[in-house]
């Protein structure tokens, strides 16, 4: 079966059987495997391709928690909500060891107009030789 046929078949199964209900990829994939009598080898070859196509197909929208929905049945507000939920994360969700960067705060006009202090200027005036020497020392310490 050609690549596009899988995702089209998935679309028709969802549209005909589920209409505006959510679904999981796994449930629809099992139906395709059963209907098309795909061998284990065909399943292995195609499952990743079909999932990638699902991610890229504009007819489907990911709702989170392994649930999908046809875009035509979701309101614009729901779609925005789902997309925002995908990209917003709480620190407890982040993988272990990852440091969440502090949010960037816009500078006030006073901070922008304030002259930089001399220590910052001195750091900027380091010449290339000094910079290279520091780098060489750091490498030797390792």
């Amino acid at each position: 079966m050609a690549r596009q046929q899988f995702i089209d078949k998935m679309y028709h199964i969802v549209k005909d059987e589920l209409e505006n209900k959510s679904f999981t990829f796994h449930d629809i994939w099992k139906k395709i495997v059963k209907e098309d009598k795909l061998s284990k080898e065909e399943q292995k070859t195609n499952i990743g391709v079909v999932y990638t196509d699902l991610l890229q197909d504009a007819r489907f929208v990911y709702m989170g928690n392994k649930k999908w929905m046809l875009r035509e049945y979701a309101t614009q507000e729901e779609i925005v909500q789902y997309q925002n939920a995908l990209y917003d994360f709480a620190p407890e969700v982040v993988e272990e060891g990852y440091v969440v960067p502090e949010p960037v705060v816009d500078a006030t006009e006073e901070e922008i107009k304030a002259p930089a202090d001399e220590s910052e200027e001195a750091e900027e005036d380091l010449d290339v030789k000094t910079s290279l020497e520091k780098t060489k020392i750091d490498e030797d310490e390792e």
Side-chain angles (χ1 to χ4, degrees):
M1 183 177 270
R3 183 176 175 161
Q4 187 61 37
Q5 289 176 323
F6 280 116
I7 199 69
D8 288 340
K9 185 169 190 118
M10 184 175 281
Y11 173 79
H12 291 295
I13 289 172
V14 173
K15 182 150 175 91
D16 296 341
E17 296 178 19
L18 302 176
E19 293 184 7
N20 64 347
K21 296 177 186 163
S22 63
F23 63 94
T24 65
F25 172 78
H26 182 69
D27 292 339
I28 304 304
W29 178 248
K30 286 192 312 189
K31 287 183 185 235
I32 291 173
V33 168
K34 187 177 179 180
E35 287 179 12
D36 292 351
K37 297 177 180 135
L38 297 178
S39 69
K40 294 281 185 190
E41 188 61 35
E42 290 173 315
Q43 291 177 47
K44 286 179 186 178
T45 303
N46 293 302
I47 191 168
V49 172
V50 175
Y51 190 78
T52 301
D53 289 345
L54 176 66
L55 289 168
Q56 296 173 349
D57 195 310
R59 298 176 289 183
F60 300 95
V61 64
Y62 182 68
M63 300 167 46
N65 204 20
K66 300 180 184 179
K67 296 285 185 180
W68 291 85
M69 182 177 207
L70 289 180
R71 183 177 294 272
E72 61 197 72
Y73 293 114
T75 65
Q76 186 61 35
E77 292 80 27
E78 289 174 322
I79 294 170
V80 169
Q81 180 183 5
Y82 300 145
Q83 289 173 341
N84 286 342
L86 286 175
Y87 299 110
D88 292 341
F89 59 88
E92 62 271 7
V93 177
V94 178
E95 66 187 15
E96 187 176 332
Y98 180 79
V99 178
V100 179
E102 292 294 320
V104 177
V105 179
D106 293 335
T108 63
E109 286 185 39
E110 292 80 29
E111 292 171 337
I112 294 171
K113 292 179 183 176
D117 74 2
E118 292 178 17
S119 64
E120 289 177 15
E121 289 178 11
E123 287 179 22
E124 291 175 9
D125 290 338
L126 285 174
D127 65 338
V128 175
K129 182 178 178 185
T130 307
S131 177
L132 289 173
E133 287 172 359
K134 282 187 174 185
T135 305
K136 192 173 186 178
I137 291 170
D138 292 342
E139 289 172 358
D140 291 343
E141 291 176 352
E142 293 176 1

